[in-house]
Amino acid sequence: MFTITLLATIFQVLGTIVLAFFSFYGIKISDNKDAYIEGVQKVEISGKWLRASQTALVVLVIGLVLSGGASLGSVP
């Protein structure tokens, strides 16, 4: 049971770190110079960061499921 909990924790931490990096480096928000209304912003998402964040989200969910399964498995 310890191994599953450790693996779940590693998955959760790894997924959270990659998603945090995605929020800092993968999304670029800038003013749109071509907009008709002033103040409209343009959002650009890098393709490699999008793929990394999708994978990290799956890893995070797997970690949560493993953690929940380990918690339920330890209940008598």
Side-chain angles (χ1 to χ4, degrees):
M1 197 59 66
F2 174 76
T3 308
I4 293 174
T5 306
L6 181 65
L7 187 65
T9 304
I10 291 170
F11 279 178
Q12 289 175 19
V13 169
L14 184 66
T16 303
I17 288 172
V18 173
L19 286 174
F21 280 136
F22 168 71
S23 67
F24 286 118
Y25 300 116
I27 301 173
K28 299 198 183 338
I29 300 173
S30 60
D31 288 331
N32 190 355
K33 307 281 190 230
D34 299 329
Y36 292 112
I37 301 172
E38 187 176 332
V40 174
Q41 295 179 334
K42 186 166 116 177
V43 177
E44 295 177 19
I45 299 175
S46 174
K48 66 178 181 177
W49 278 107
L50 181 63
R51 180 61 59 193
S53 68
Q54 289 172 343
T55 305
L57 187 59
V58 169
V59 168
L60 180 61
V61 168
I62 289 172
L64 290 172
V65 168
L66 284 175
S67 179
S71 297
L72 290 175
S74 65
V75 174

